[in-house]
Each structure stands twice: as C-alpha cells, then as structure tokens.
Amino acid sequence: MTTDVPRTQSPEGSSPEAYRQPKGVERYGVEPVPDEQRTVRWYDLFQIIFNVMLNPGLILIGGLAVVSGLSFWAAVAAQVLGVLIAFSAYTVMATVGVDYGLPGIVSTRAFLGITASRWLVSLLRAVSSAFWFAFQTLAGAMGILAVLEAWLGVRPSLIGVSLVFAVLQASVALFGYGSLTWLSKVAFPVKLVILGYLFWLFANHQAPGFAPSEVFSYSGSVGWKWAVFAVWVNAVAAAWFSQVTDAADYCRYSKSRKDMWIGTMAAALLGTAGSAFFGAYAAAASLGRTANAFEVIPGLGVGSVTLILVLVVLVLDNWTVNVLNVYTGGLALANLATRLGRFWSTLVVAAAGTALAAFPALIDGFNDSMSAMGNVFAPLVGVLLADYLVIKRGRIDVPALFDPHGPYRYTGGVNVLALAWWALGSIAFFALPETVLPIPFVALASGVGYALTAMVLSARRDGTAPRVDAPGELGQPTGSA
C-alpha cells in the first residue's frame, strides 16, 4: 500500500451472510471488502475500465459530435478532454475503495450525512445507472438492427431487440464482481482484434472520404468552434461526473493505490480515445451524415463473416459496460434499502433500466439529459472532494458509517452545509453558458465555497483556527443531533 490509512474489516452487525441471496453470487454489498480479498492488480483493473470505455455508447458520442459539425480531431479531443476532467475527480474518490474496501455510495454518508446519502444520493445514482444502462442498450441495439438488415434482410423492432439485449446483459451483473473480471478478460482481446479489423475496413474502403488522409483532414461544418466543442466536453464530463460516486465500486478489491491510479487513468484515457477515434472516423467518412459507426459498416459491402464479427463486438461492448452500470446501480440502491442486499438491489435497477430501454427517444435527448446530470452531479462532486480531501484529510471512520446515531448523523442525518453548497452550485449551473465549461467550474466553485465556509464557521465556534482533521470539527462531527 502507498497510503498509511489502516484497512478496516466489516463493521459489527453488517455481515453479508444476513442477506437472502442465491449461492454463488458476490457476498459484499454495502460492507467493506476484507483485506485478504483485496488482491486486484492494475492490469486487471485496466481491462475492466478499458472495456467500460470502449463501448457503443461512447463510439456513438464520437459520431454524434462529428454530425453536430465538429471536425474529426475536434470530436476526438472533446471526448478525451471531457473524460480527463471527470476522471481527475473520479480517481480521487476511488481511493475510498482502495483504502477501506467500501462502495463509493456508502462513503458519501460521511460527507453528506447518513440520511442524505441513503435517500437522496442513492436514488439519484440508481436512476442515473438505469438511464445509462438503457442508453447503452439502445446504442448497441441500433447497430444490431443495421447488421441484421444487411445480413439477413430483416429489421426487427428496435424496442424488442433492446429489451432482449437488456435482459441478457443484466443477467451477468447479478453475479457480482467476479463475473465482471471474468467477462473483461474474455472480451478485452476479442474487442481489440475485431475493432482493429473494422478500422482496417474503413481505412481501405475505396469510396471517397474513407481514406485516413481524408478523414484526418475532415473539417466539419464548424470545425473547432468553441461553442460547439464545449457542448461535447461538458456532455462527456457530465456523463462521468454522474458516476464519480461509483468510482470506489470498481476499486474496492484493488491491492494498492498505485494499482488503482495506473489501471484506472490509463484505461480511461486510452479507452475513450479508442471509442472517440472509431466513432468519429466512421462519421467523418460518411461526411457527417451517419453518427452510428455500426450503421456505416453494412454499407461497405462486407460479407457475412464481417457482419457476424460486428455482432460479436456489439454484444461484448454492451455487456462489458452495462454489467458495470447495473452493478454500481445495485450498490447505490443497496445503500438505501440495506436489507435487500446487493443481488436484489441489482435486480431492481436492471428491471428499471430494461424498462427505460423501451424508449428510443433517450438517444435523441442525450445532450439535454447530460445537462441535467451535470446540474446535479457537478456541485455534488465538488462538495464530496472538498469534504474528503480538505475537511477530513482523506480519513473516514468506517464503523460510524453504519451507526445512525453516531458521528455522521450531523443534523437529523443531513450535513446541512454540504447540501446548501450543493444547491447553490446547481442554481449557478443553470446561469452559466456552455462556453465556460460549467461542469468543472461549478464543481470547483462549490467545493471551494463549502471548504472555506466550513472552516470559517468552525473557527468562529471555537475562537481558534480549526483543525479540520480532528474529530468534533464541522467536517468530522461527534454525537447525534
């Protein structure tokens, strides 16, 4: 370990054996993972996160950015910059998983109060996970329909394919973390080989616009225009800011912080660059007319074998990302309904996501949905980071997270100051234009405002400069309200 934070075993009274769940599934829900089971190294984590980032949804976003008018390189850069912004916060909150073996959503009890964490953040994250599950399912189903039409001459219902696809994906997530690592190891090399082959098809297609020199010089209708570029940076950043509270979920089995930092950040940047490059290339080759790369491929005149390979990569892409969407959503709901346990909470989120997959309009409303998520999650992430890094100095009292009358009760289970700055940040978000990148701006402003206010109030109360890492201060309260 590269941190001096002591590892903590499961708190008394929160044994995973208490849940009635099927045999053979992951046992740990809201409880910390024991020290002896935290053995995942950076390369295993890299495969999981890389598979998450290389998916039909992010490929589609790269294409949508080109269709909106951006040049090829601007579309790729916008997506990578958005992920870099989000993962700067994401990897910080992932340390909660490495240090304590906790799900990220459970750690928010320390920052926002036990009641606010359970009834507010858990619901938001569960809904967000269901939305992402549906979006990814629809993006993959659209590609599957295009392939089936070119291969077999049939075009089934988009809703029907989406629902069947959703059920197949959700089934893997129910088994837990072990199924995620197994699926990632299988999918990683297969996806790389098939996508590499598909890119080769694009680059060697004889139609005008497909040659690498033509795609790389594609300028779009607006090129690098900042007003459009910023919209896509914000959209991508918002998508991943909405998952910062889940960052620890992927890393709670990690062996060290070093493994987490290397595996997560490298996979995020490389996986995003790959998705953006592939999606933007196909859209630019079609001269900005088709956003979905998997709808472009059948038009290349390829044979049945290639179309089958496309189906394989679509299924694997969606499985690897959506298993994690449902898995983290299940942990979020388990933080609220603790008696359900991880398995049953995951099943509820999977059912909600499957129902949402019956509404294709989610694809058309992507930017509006991301704006709404940014409004909610940008100030929340800022407050969480400020409380974790500045007020608590990266330390959490794990047993207190499970004590409704303990130090993280705050006022009736709510850290009122944290929620106030969260609300102020949300209001400010609406007033800011996209051109100022409201996602990172609001997160930074909310976090700084919260930390300064907390320290000022603490100093006035005590009459001395506050020790922000000491028990009993505003950020680390003792006793119930």
Side-chain angles (χ1 to χ4, degrees), residues 270-324:
L270 292 175
T272 300
S275 289
F277 189 93
F278 189 83
Y281 195 103
S286 72
L287 303 180
R289 290 190 291 265
T290 304
N292 196 327
F294 297 106
E295 293 181 4
V296 176
I297 293 170
L300 303 181
V302 297
S304 298
V305 173
T306 297
L307 293 176
I308 292 173
L309 291 177
V310 173
L311 284 177
V312 170
V313 80
L314 280 170
V315 171
L316 290 177
D317 271 349
N318 260 53
W319 247 342
T320 49
V321 67
N322 262 345
V323 165
L324 288 169

Side-chain angles (χ1 to χ4, degrees), residues 29 33 37 49 93 105-106 144 175 181 213 246 286 385 412 480:
V33 173
Q37 295 192 32
I49 303 298
M93 294 308 299
I105 198 72
V106 174
I144 289 174
F175 287 92
T181 55
S213 59
D246 301 334
S286 72
L385 288 173
S480 59

Side-chain angles (χ1 to χ4, degrees), residues 244-290:
V244 166
T245 56
D246 301 334
D249 300 358
Y250 306 151
C251 308
R252 61 199 297 227
Y253 288 87
S254 296
K255 186 175 182 63
S256 69
R257 280 192 176 189
K258 182 179 179 180
D259 285 290
M260 182 276 291
W261 282 107
I262 295 174
T264 300
M265 188 58 81
L269 294 178
L270 292 175
T272 300
S275 289
F277 189 93
F278 189 83
Y281 195 103
S286 72
L287 303 180
R289 290 190 291 265
T290 304

